[in-house]
Amino acid sequence: MLIREGYITTNQINVQEQLLSLEQQANRHRRLNLIQLICMLLIVITVVAVLIIQTPTALIKSVTVTHDIMSDPVIFSGTVIILIAFLTSWLAWMQDLKFNAVNQTFQQLIDDYQAVINTSLPLTALANDFQKKVHDATQFNMVNLTIVFGIMGGLLLCAVV
């Protein structure tokens, strides 16, 4: 009986180490999706602010030459903010590509060690925390995609009209 308890403890330690590693990856995944979302919101807010400060017709007339962009502080600062936010979002997205397999690894771990995780309260809490972080990252990603498709739809609408 003592050998069996030692085996379960060893399994619990192994599962706990794997869950902690996955939880760290999920935390980074959530953080990167949040950075993307903040960048997309910053882009939208900047575009709206520039359009409020300058009318669209005046904006189109002043953006005809690169020199005009550099001379108008509103357009220049808006362009810089949008470019920095876009590049930051792009870099976060590139870093986030590494975490596509995190959920699959978690599911494999759950399938292999379901009994060990269910009998240990700390392991169950770690598994629940992982699922919450991945769910948050998915929600951030959905809002981010909605904003991106909204921007693309707005650009398409502007091009048609």
Side-chain angles (χ1 to χ4, degrees), residues 29-44 85-86 88-94 96 135-153:
H29 178 58
R30 180 178 66 173
R31 194 174 331 122
L32 288 170
N33 276 306
L34 181 61
I35 288 170
Q36 287 178 324
L37 177 61
I38 290 170
C39 288
M40 284 300 138
L41 289 173
L42 186 61
I43 289 171
V44 169
F86 177 74
T88 304
S89 173
W90 187 260
L91 289 173
W93 178 74
M94 293 297 286
D96 191 48
H135 176 56
D136 290 347
T138 303
Q139 293 299 319
F140 293 151
N141 194 28
M142 295 302 271
V143 173
N144 190 22
L145 288 174
T146 303
I147 292 171
V148 168
F149 285 130
I151 290 171
M152 289 174 22

mmCIF file of all heavy atoms in Angstrom, residues 29-44 85-86 88-94 96 135-153:
data_model
loop_
_atom_site.group_PDB
_atom_site.id
_atom_site.type_symbol
_atom_site.label_atom_id
_atom_site.label_comp_id
_atom_site.label_asym_id
_atom_site.label_seq_id
_atom_site.Cartn_x
_atom_site.Cartn_y
_atom_site.Cartn_z
ATOM 1 N N HIS A 29 -0.223 33.359 -23.206
ATOM 2 C CA HIS A 29 -1.194 33.367 -24.301
ATOM 3 C C HIS A 29 -2.266 34.424 -24.048
ATOM 4 O O HIS A 29 -2.603 35.218 -24.937
ATOM 5 C CB HIS A 29 -1.798 31.969 -24.412
ATOM 6 C CG HIS A 29 -2.852 31.794 -25.438
ATOM 7 N ND1 HIS A 29 -2.666 32.054 -26.779
ATOM 8 C CD2 HIS A 29 -4.125 31.356 -25.318
ATOM 9 C CE1 HIS A 29 -3.776 31.788 -27.435
ATOM 10 N NE2 HIS A 29 -4.674 31.367 -26.569
ATOM 11 N N ARG A 30 -2.778 34.459 -22.830
ATOM 12 C CA ARG A 30 -3.803 35.451 -22.471
ATOM 13 C C ARG A 30 -3.226 36.864 -22.550
ATOM 14 O O ARG A 30 -3.869 37.778 -23.066
ATOM 15 C CB ARG A 30 -4.340 35.153 -21.068
ATOM 16 C CG ARG A 30 -5.414 36.140 -20.633
ATOM 17 C CD ARG A 30 -5.960 35.806 -19.296
ATOM 18 N NE ARG A 30 -4.934 35.966 -18.271
ATOM 19 C CZ ARG A 30 -5.153 35.863 -16.993
ATOM 20 N NH1 ARG A 30 -6.342 35.562 -16.543
ATOM 21 N NH2 ARG A 30 -4.181 36.034 -16.120
ATOM 22 N N ARG A 31 -2.015 37.046 -22.044
ATOM 23 C CA ARG A 31 -1.389 38.368 -22.054
ATOM 24 C C ARG A 31 -1.164 38.862 -23.486
ATOM 25 O O ARG A 31 -1.429 40.027 -23.791
ATOM 26 C CB ARG A 31 -0.057 38.309 -21.302
ATOM 27 C CG ARG A 31 0.510 39.655 -20.970
ATOM 28 C CD ARG A 31 1.763 39.595 -20.090
ATOM 29 N NE ARG A 31 1.817 38.450 -19.225
ATOM 30 C CZ ARG A 31 2.802 37.549 -19.227
ATOM 31 N NH1 ARG A 31 3.809 37.660 -20.061
ATOM 32 N NH2 ARG A 31 2.792 36.533 -18.397
ATOM 33 N N LEU A 32 -0.710 37.994 -24.365
ATOM 34 C CA LEU A 32 -0.478 38.396 -25.753
ATOM 35 C C LEU A 32 -1.783 38.746 -26.461
ATOM 36 O O LEU A 32 -1.837 39.700 -27.247
ATOM 37 C CB LEU A 32 0.265 37.288 -26.505
ATOM 38 C CG LEU A 32 1.734 37.108 -26.124
ATOM 39 C CD1 LEU A 32 2.304 35.847 -26.740
ATOM 40 C CD2 LEU A 32 2.553 38.329 -26.524
ATOM 41 N N ASN A 33 -2.845 38.000 -26.190
ATOM 42 C CA ASN A 33 -4.144 38.335 -26.787
ATOM 43 C C ASN A 33 -4.675 39.648 -26.233
ATOM 44 O O ASN A 33 -5.321 40.410 -26.951
ATOM 45 C CB ASN A 33 -5.145 37.200 -26.562
ATOM 46 C CG ASN A 33 -4.998 36.124 -27.602
ATOM 47 O OD1 ASN A 33 -5.041 36.395 -28.794
ATOM 48 N ND2 ASN A 33 -4.801 34.903 -27.158
ATOM 49 N N LEU A 34 -4.413 39.917 -24.966
ATOM 50 C CA LEU A 34 -4.828 41.197 -24.386
ATOM 51 C C LEU A 34 -4.047 42.351 -25.019
ATOM 52 O O LEU A 34 -4.616 43.406 -25.311
ATOM 53 C CB LEU A 34 -4.639 41.184 -22.865
ATOM 54 C CG LEU A 34 -5.055 42.451 -22.127
ATOM 55 C CD1 LEU A 34 -6.542 42.729 -22.334
ATOM 56 C CD2 LEU A 34 -4.728 42.333 -20.655
ATOM 57 N N ILE A 35 -2.756 42.152 -25.269
ATOM 58 C CA ILE A 35 -1.952 43.183 -25.937
ATOM 59 C C ILE A 35 -2.498 43.459 -27.334
ATOM 60 O O ILE A 35 -2.628 44.615 -27.748
ATOM 61 C CB ILE A 35 -0.465 42.760 -25.988
ATOM 62 C CG1 ILE A 35 0.152 42.841 -24.595
ATOM 63 C CG2 ILE A 35 0.324 43.628 -26.961
ATOM 64 C CD1 ILE A 35 1.526 42.226 -24.494
ATOM 65 N N GLN A 36 -2.853 42.401 -28.047
ATOM 66 C CA GLN A 36 -3.440 42.583 -29.379
ATOM 67 C C GLN A 36 -4.729 43.384 -29.295
ATOM 68 O O GLN A 36 -4.973 44.283 -30.104
ATOM 69 C CB GLN A 36 -3.733 41.234 -30.024
ATOM 70 C CG GLN A 36 -2.535 40.485 -30.486
ATOM 71 C CD GLN A 36 -2.921 39.140 -31.064
ATOM 72 O OE1 GLN A 36 -3.848 38.485 -30.596
ATOM 73 N NE2 GLN A 36 -2.209 38.723 -32.077
ATOM 74 N N LEU A 37 -5.560 43.047 -28.328
ATOM 75 C CA LEU A 37 -6.837 43.745 -28.178
ATOM 76 C C LEU A 37 -6.624 45.216 -27.847
ATOM 77 O O LEU A 37 -7.269 46.091 -28.430
ATOM 78 C CB LEU A 37 -7.685 43.064 -27.099
ATOM 79 C CG LEU A 37 -9.025 43.714 -26.779
ATOM 80 C CD1 LEU A 37 -9.912 43.726 -28.014
ATOM 81 C CD2 LEU A 37 -9.703 42.977 -25.636
ATOM 82 N N ILE A 38 -5.713 45.495 -26.949
ATOM 83 C CA ILE A 38 -5.431 46.890 -26.585
ATOM 84 C C ILE A 38 -4.909 47.656 -27.802
ATOM 85 O O ILE A 38 -5.309 48.799 -28.040
ATOM 86 C CB ILE A 38 -4.430 46.950 -25.408
ATOM 87 C CG1 ILE A 38 -5.113 46.467 -24.127
ATOM 88 C CG2 ILE A 38 -3.879 48.350 -25.224
ATOM 89 C CD1 ILE A 38 -4.164 46.248 -22.970
ATOM 90 N N CYS A 39 -4.046 47.027 -28.594
ATOM 91 C CA CYS A 39 -3.520 47.684 -29.792
ATOM 92 C C CYS A 39 -4.633 47.978 -30.798
ATOM 93 O O CYS A 39 -4.679 49.061 -31.393
ATOM 94 C CB CYS A 39 -2.434 46.833 -30.429
ATOM 95 S SG CYS A 39 -0.901 46.799 -29.486
ATOM 96 N N MET A 40 -5.525 47.025 -31.001
ATOM 97 C CA MET A 40 -6.627 47.249 -31.946
ATOM 98 C C MET A 40 -7.552 48.360 -31.447
ATOM 99 O O MET A 40 -8.001 49.202 -32.235
ATOM 100 C CB MET A 40 -7.427 45.966 -32.151
ATOM 101 C CG MET A 40 -6.761 44.963 -33.028
ATOM 102 S SD MET A 40 -6.468 45.635 -34.679
ATOM 103 C CE MET A 40 -4.843 45.023 -34.964
ATOM 104 N N LEU A 41 -7.830 48.379 -30.154
ATOM 105 C CA LEU A 41 -8.650 49.453 -29.603
ATOM 106 C C LEU A 41 -7.944 50.800 -29.743
ATOM 107 O O LEU A 41 -8.587 51.816 -30.051
ATOM 108 C CB LEU A 41 -8.980 49.172 -28.137
ATOM 109 C CG LEU A 41 -9.963 48.039 -27.884
ATOM 110 C CD1 LEU A 41 -10.077 47.749 -26.394
ATOM 111 C CD2 LEU A 41 -11.323 48.360 -28.473
ATOM 112 N N LEU A 42 -6.633 50.809 -29.546
ATOM 113 C CA LEU A 42 -5.865 52.040 -29.704
ATOM 114 C C LEU A 42 -5.918 52.537 -31.145
ATOM 115 O O LEU A 42 -6.046 53.740 -31.393
ATOM 116 C CB LEU A 42 -4.417 51.805 -29.266
ATOM 117 C CG LEU A 42 -3.503 53.018 -29.223
ATOM 118 C CD1 LEU A 42 -4.030 54.053 -28.235
ATOM 119 C CD2 LEU A 42 -2.101 52.585 -28.834
ATOM 120 N N ILE A 43 -5.849 51.630 -32.094
ATOM 121 C CA ILE A 43 -5.955 52.010 -33.507
ATOM 122 C C ILE A 43 -7.317 52.637 -33.788
ATOM 123 O O ILE A 43 -7.415 53.694 -34.408
ATOM 124 C CB ILE A 43 -5.694 50.797 -34.426
ATOM 125 C CG1 ILE A 43 -4.220 50.403 -34.381
ATOM 126 C CG2 ILE A 43 -6.129 51.083 -35.862
ATOM 127 C CD1 ILE A 43 -3.902 49.091 -35.074
ATOM 128 N N VAL A 44 -8.379 51.986 -33.315
ATOM 129 C CA VAL A 44 -9.730 52.502 -33.559
ATOM 130 C C VAL A 44 -9.917 53.859 -32.887
ATOM 131 O O VAL A 44 -10.446 54.803 -33.500
ATOM 132 C CB VAL A 44 -10.792 51.486 -33.069
ATOM 133 C CG1 VAL A 44 -12.177 52.096 -33.061
ATOM 134 C CG2 VAL A 44 -10.760 50.238 -33.933
ATOM 135 N N ALA A 85 1.038 50.794 -32.797
ATOM 136 C CA ALA A 85 0.033 49.837 -32.311
ATOM 137 C C ALA A 85 -0.082 48.643 -33.253
ATOM 138 O O ALA A 85 -0.184 47.491 -32.809
ATOM 139 C CB ALA A 85 -1.320 50.526 -32.155
ATOM 140 N N PHE A 86 -0.043 48.900 -34.551
ATOM 141 C CA PHE A 86 -0.132 47.805 -35.519
ATOM 142 C C PHE A 86 1.075 46.882 -35.410
ATOM 143 O O PHE A 86 0.932 45.652 -35.405
ATOM 144 C CB PHE A 86 -0.254 48.365 -36.941
ATOM 145 C CG PHE A 86 -0.289 47.292 -37.989
ATOM 146 C CD1 PHE A 86 -1.424 46.525 -38.170
ATOM 147 C CD2 PHE A 86 0.821 47.025 -38.769
ATOM 148 C CE1 PHE A 86 -1.458 45.516 -39.125
ATOM 149 C CE2 PHE A 86 0.800 46.029 -39.725
ATOM 150 C CZ PHE A 86 -0.344 45.269 -39.903
ATOM 151 N N THR A 88 3.089 46.456 -32.834
ATOM 152 C CA THR A 88 3.027 45.748 -31.551
ATOM 153 C C THR A 88 2.017 44.613 -31.613
ATOM 154 O O THR A 88 2.279 43.504 -31.137
ATOM 155 C CB THR A 88 2.647 46.729 -30.417
ATOM 156 O OG1 THR A 88 3.578 47.809 -30.406
ATOM 157 C CG2 THR A 88 2.651 46.040 -29.073
ATOM 158 N N SER A 89 0.876 44.873 -32.220
ATOM 159 C CA SER A 89 -0.135 43.832 -32.376
ATOM 160 C C SER A 89 0.384 42.694 -33.240
ATOM 161 O O SER A 89 0.158 41.517 -32.938
ATOM 162 C CB SER A 89 -1.401 44.428 -32.990
ATOM 163 O OG SER A 89 -2.327 43.420 -33.285
ATOM 164 N N TRP A 90 1.068 43.034 -34.302
ATOM 165 C CA TRP A 90 1.627 42.020 -35.196
ATOM 166 C C TRP A 90 2.657 41.160 -34.468
ATOM 167 O O TRP A 90 2.662 39.935 -34.595
ATOM 168 C CB TRP A 90 2.250 42.705 -36.414
ATOM 169 C CG TRP A 90 2.698 41.747 -37.467
ATOM 170 C CD1 TRP A 90 3.959 41.318 -37.683
ATOM 171 C CD2 TRP A 90 1.888 41.098 -38.434
ATOM 172 N NE1 TRP A 90 3.992 40.445 -38.729
ATOM 173 C CE2 TRP A 90 2.724 40.290 -39.210
ATOM 174 C CE3 TRP A 90 0.524 41.117 -38.722
ATOM 175 C CZ2 TRP A 90 2.264 39.511 -40.253
ATOM 176 C CZ3 TRP A 90 0.064 40.341 -39.772
ATOM 177 C CH2 TRP A 90 0.924 39.560 -40.511
ATOM 178 N N LEU A 91 3.537 41.805 -33.691
ATOM 179 C CA LEU A 91 4.546 41.052 -32.935
ATOM 180 C C LEU A 91 3.897 40.153 -31.885
ATOM 181 O O LEU A 91 4.330 39.011 -31.678
ATOM 182 C CB LEU A 91 5.539 42.011 -32.276
ATOM 183 C CG LEU A 91 6.499 42.718 -33.226
ATOM 184 C CD1 LEU A 91 7.314 43.768 -32.481
ATOM 185 C CD2 LEU A 91 7.411 41.726 -33.914
ATOM 186 N N ALA A 92 2.867 40.650 -31.225
ATOM 187 C CA ALA A 92 2.157 39.829 -30.245
ATOM 188 C C ALA A 92 1.500 38.641 -30.923
ATOM 189 O O ALA A 92 1.510 37.521 -30.396
ATOM 190 C CB ALA A 92 1.117 40.672 -29.499
ATOM 191 N N TRP A 93 0.936 38.861 -32.099
ATOM 192 C CA TRP A 93 0.310 37.763 -32.834
ATOM 193 C C TRP A 93 1.341 36.718 -33.229
ATOM 194 O O TRP A 93 1.104 35.513 -33.115
ATOM 195 C CB TRP A 93 -0.407 38.308 -34.061
ATOM 196 C CG TRP A 93 -1.021 37.236 -34.889
ATOM 197 C CD1 TRP A 93 -2.140 36.519 -34.605
ATOM 198 C CD2 TRP A 93 -0.545 36.754 -36.152
ATOM 199 N NE1 TRP A 93 -2.388 35.615 -35.605
ATOM 200 C CE2 TRP A 93 -1.426 35.738 -36.568
ATOM 201 C CE3 TRP A 93 0.535 37.089 -36.963
ATOM 202 C CZ2 TRP A 93 -1.250 35.053 -37.761
ATOM 203 C CZ3 TRP A 93 0.707 36.414 -38.149
ATOM 204 C CH2 TRP A 93 -0.188 35.406 -38.534
ATOM 205 N N MET A 94 2.506 37.165 -33.695
ATOM 206 C CA MET A 94 3.564 36.231 -34.088
ATOM 207 C C MET A 94 4.040 35.411 -32.878
ATOM 208 O O MET A 94 4.290 34.217 -33.004
ATOM 209 C CB MET A 94 4.747 36.987 -34.707
ATOM 210 C CG MET A 94 4.437 37.629 -36.031
ATOM 211 S SD MET A 94 4.014 36.462 -37.305
ATOM 212 C CE MET A 94 5.608 35.782 -37.662
ATOM 213 N N ASP A 96 2.231 34.734 -30.289
ATOM 214 C CA ASP A 96 1.104 33.920 -29.839
ATOM 215 C C ASP A 96 0.918 32.664 -30.683
ATOM 216 O O ASP A 96 0.276 31.720 -30.249
ATOM 217 C CB ASP A 96 -0.182 34.760 -29.843
ATOM 218 C CG ASP A 96 -1.322 34.071 -29.147
ATOM 219 O OD1 ASP A 96 -1.103 33.567 -28.024
ATOM 220 O OD2 ASP A 96 -2.418 34.005 -29.714
ATOM 221 N N HIS A 135 -9.777 30.445 -21.733
ATOM 222 C CA HIS A 135 -11.079 31.020 -22.084
ATOM 223 C C HIS A 135 -10.966 32.540 -22.219
ATOM 224 O O HIS A 135 -11.511 33.126 -23.164
ATOM 225 C CB HIS A 135 -12.109 30.634 -21.030
ATOM 226 C CG HIS A 135 -13.451 31.250 -21.237
ATOM 227 N ND1 HIS A 135 -14.176 31.097 -22.409
ATOM 228 C CD2 HIS A 135 -14.211 32.043 -20.446
ATOM 229 C CE1 HIS A 135 -15.314 31.754 -22.311
ATOM 230 N NE2 HIS A 135 -15.354 32.352 -21.135
ATOM 231 N N ASP A 136 -10.270 33.185 -21.284
ATOM 232 C CA ASP A 136 -10.065 34.634 -21.373
ATOM 233 C C ASP A 136 -9.325 35.001 -22.661
ATOM 234 O O ASP A 136 -9.687 35.957 -23.347
ATOM 235 C CB ASP A 136 -9.270 35.145 -20.172
ATOM 236 C CG ASP A 136 -10.057 35.106 -18.879
ATOM 237 O OD1 ASP A 136 -11.296 34.920 -18.927
ATOM 238 O OD2 ASP A 136 -9.429 35.259 -17.809
ATOM 239 N N ALA A 137 -8.275 34.231 -22.982
ATOM 240 C CA ALA A 137 -7.507 34.499 -24.203
ATOM 241 C C ALA A 137 -8.396 34.347 -25.432
ATOM 242 O O ALA A 137 -8.307 35.142 -26.375
ATOM 243 C CB ALA A 137 -6.307 33.561 -24.294
ATOM 244 N N THR A 138 -9.264 33.347 -25.417
ATOM 245 C CA THR A 138 -10.185 33.144 -26.539
ATOM 246 C C THR A 138 -11.156 34.311 -26.659
ATOM 247 O O THR A 138 -11.439 34.779 -27.771
ATOM 248 C CB THR A 138 -10.946 31.822 -26.364
ATOM 249 O OG1 THR A 138 -10.006 30.759 -26.239
ATOM 250 C CG2 THR A 138 -11.862 31.545 -27.532
ATOM 251 N N GLN A 139 -11.655 34.800 -25.535
ATOM 252 C CA GLN A 139 -12.569 35.947 -25.565
ATOM 253 C C GLN A 139 -11.864 37.190 -26.098
ATOM 254 O O GLN A 139 -12.428 37.933 -26.908
ATOM 255 C CB GLN A 139 -13.137 36.217 -24.162
ATOM 256 C CG GLN A 139 -14.047 35.131 -23.647
ATOM 257 C CD GLN A 139 -15.268 34.944 -24.529
ATOM 258 O OE1 GLN A 139 -15.862 35.889 -25.005
ATOM 259 N NE2 GLN A 139 -15.635 33.692 -24.750
ATOM 260 N N PHE A 140 -10.627 37.444 -25.635
ATOM 261 C CA PHE A 140 -9.866 38.588 -26.143
ATOM 262 C C PHE A 140 -9.666 38.456 -27.653
ATOM 263 O O PHE A 140 -9.764 39.442 -28.387
ATOM 264 C CB PHE A 140 -8.501 38.694 -25.458
ATOM 265 C CG PHE A 140 -8.562 39.029 -23.991
ATOM 266 C CD1 PHE A 140 -7.569 38.590 -23.136
ATOM 267 C CD2 PHE A 140 -9.595 39.772 -23.456
ATOM 268 C CE1 PHE A 140 -7.602 38.888 -21.790
ATOM 269 C CE2 PHE A 140 -9.642 40.077 -22.111
ATOM 270 C CZ PHE A 140 -8.636 39.637 -21.275
ATOM 271 N N ASN A 141 -9.368 37.245 -28.095
ATOM 272 C CA ASN A 141 -9.148 37.002 -29.508
ATOM 273 C C ASN A 141 -10.421 37.236 -30.315
ATOM 274 O O ASN A 141 -10.377 37.787 -31.413
ATOM 275 C CB ASN A 141 -8.606 35.587 -29.722
ATOM 276 C CG ASN A 141 -8.051 35.393 -31.105
ATOM 277 O OD1 ASN A 141 -7.594 36.320 -31.739
ATOM 278 N ND2 ASN A 141 -8.104 34.163 -31.576
ATOM 279 N N MET A 142 -11.560 36.826 -29.788
ATOM 280 C CA MET A 142 -12.831 37.028 -30.499
ATOM 281 C C MET A 142 -13.154 38.518 -30.638
ATOM 282 O O MET A 142 -13.583 38.969 -31.701
ATOM 283 C CB MET A 142 -13.970 36.304 -29.776
ATOM 284 C CG MET A 142 -13.810 34.788 -29.777
ATOM 285 S SD MET A 142 -13.712 34.112 -31.421
ATOM 286 C CE MET A 142 -15.416 33.838 -31.729
ATOM 287 N N VAL A 143 -12.948 39.280 -29.575
ATOM 288 C CA VAL A 143 -13.180 40.729 -29.649
ATOM 289 C C VAL A 143 -12.196 41.361 -30.627
ATOM 290 O O VAL A 143 -12.563 42.226 -31.432
ATOM 291 C CB VAL A 143 -13.076 41.376 -28.251
ATOM 292 C CG1 VAL A 143 -13.150 42.889 -28.338
ATOM 293 C CG2 VAL A 143 -14.172 40.849 -27.328
ATOM 294 N N ASN A 144 -10.952 40.913 -30.573
ATOM 295 C CA ASN A 144 -9.930 41.417 -31.484
ATOM 296 C C ASN A 144 -10.305 41.148 -32.937
ATOM 297 O O ASN A 144 -10.202 42.028 -33.790
ATOM 298 C CB ASN A 144 -8.583 40.767 -31.140
ATOM 299 C CG ASN A 144 -7.431 41.398 -31.868
ATOM 300 O OD1 ASN A 144 -7.504 42.528 -32.311
ATOM 301 N ND2 ASN A 144 -6.360 40.654 -31.992
ATOM 302 N N LEU A 145 -10.748 39.935 -33.229
ATOM 303 C CA LEU A 145 -11.159 39.601 -34.594
ATOM 304 C C LEU A 145 -12.378 40.407 -35.028
ATOM 305 O O LEU A 145 -12.480 40.813 -36.184
ATOM 306 C CB LEU A 145 -11.444 38.104 -34.710
ATOM 307 C CG LEU A 145 -10.216 37.193 -34.682
ATOM 308 C CD1 LEU A 145 -10.635 35.736 -34.656
ATOM 309 C CD2 LEU A 145 -9.316 37.479 -35.858
ATOM 310 N N THR A 146 -13.288 40.648 -34.104
ATOM 311 C CA THR A 146 -14.453 41.469 -34.417
ATOM 312 C C THR A 146 -14.024 42.880 -34.798
ATOM 313 O O THR A 146 -14.535 43.456 -35.772
ATOM 314 C CB THR A 146 -15.416 41.513 -33.217
ATOM 315 O OG1 THR A 146 -15.790 40.182 -32.868
ATOM 316 C CG2 THR A 146 -16.644 42.337 -33.521
ATOM 317 N N ILE A 147 -13.074 43.430 -34.067
ATOM 318 C CA ILE A 147 -12.567 44.767 -34.389
ATOM 319 C C ILE A 147 -11.875 44.764 -35.747
ATOM 320 O O ILE A 147 -12.087 45.662 -36.571
ATOM 321 C CB ILE A 147 -11.617 45.270 -33.280
ATOM 322 C CG1 ILE A 147 -12.404 45.537 -31.996
ATOM 323 C CG2 ILE A 147 -10.870 46.524 -33.716
ATOM 324 C CD1 ILE A 147 -11.543 45.820 -30.795
ATOM 325 N N VAL A 148 -11.043 43.750 -35.995
ATOM 326 C CA VAL A 148 -10.334 43.672 -37.277
ATOM 327 C C VAL A 148 -11.326 43.573 -38.427
ATOM 328 O O VAL A 148 -11.193 44.275 -39.439
ATOM 329 C CB VAL A 148 -9.342 42.486 -37.283
ATOM 330 C CG1 VAL A 148 -8.825 42.210 -38.683
ATOM 331 C CG2 VAL A 148 -8.194 42.757 -36.334
ATOM 332 N N PHE A 149 -12.333 42.699 -38.292
ATOM 333 C CA PHE A 149 -13.321 42.584 -39.364
ATOM 334 C C PHE A 149 -14.148 43.857 -39.493
ATOM 335 O O PHE A 149 -14.557 44.219 -40.594
ATOM 336 C CB PHE A 149 -14.223 41.368 -39.140
ATOM 337 C CG PHE A 149 -13.537 40.064 -39.450
ATOM 338 C CD1 PHE A 149 -13.575 39.021 -38.544
ATOM 339 C CD2 PHE A 149 -12.848 39.875 -40.635
ATOM 340 C CE1 PHE A 149 -12.944 37.820 -38.811
ATOM 341 C CE2 PHE A 149 -12.211 38.690 -40.928
ATOM 342 C CZ PHE A 149 -12.262 37.646 -40.006
ATOM 343 N N GLY A 150 -14.402 44.556 -38.395
ATOM 344 C CA GLY A 150 -15.087 45.838 -38.464
ATOM 345 C C GLY A 150 -14.269 46.873 -39.223
ATOM 346 O O GLY A 150 -14.801 47.632 -40.039
ATOM 347 N N ILE A 151 -12.960 46.897 -38.949
ATOM 348 C CA ILE A 151 -12.081 47.823 -39.659
ATOM 349 C C ILE A 151 -12.051 47.483 -41.147
ATOM 350 O O ILE A 151 -12.157 48.361 -42.005
ATOM 351 C CB ILE A 151 -10.656 47.792 -39.057
ATOM 352 C CG1 ILE A 151 -10.653 48.417 -37.658
ATOM 353 C CG2 ILE A 151 -9.661 48.514 -39.957
ATOM 354 C CD1 ILE A 151 -9.354 48.228 -36.907
ATOM 355 N N MET A 152 -11.916 46.188 -41.446
ATOM 356 C CA MET A 152 -11.889 45.779 -42.854
ATOM 357 C C MET A 152 -13.216 46.092 -43.533
ATOM 358 O O MET A 152 -13.236 46.541 -44.681
ATOM 359 C CB MET A 152 -11.565 44.285 -42.958
ATOM 360 C CG MET A 152 -10.136 43.981 -42.601
ATOM 361 S SD MET A 152 -9.616 42.246 -42.520
ATOM 362 C CE MET A 152 -10.747 41.346 -43.483
ATOM 363 N N GLY A 153 -14.328 45.890 -42.845
ATOM 364 C CA GLY A 153 -15.630 46.223 -43.405
ATOM 365 C C GLY A 153 -15.779 47.718 -43.627
ATOM 366 O O GLY A 153 -16.326 48.150 -44.645
#
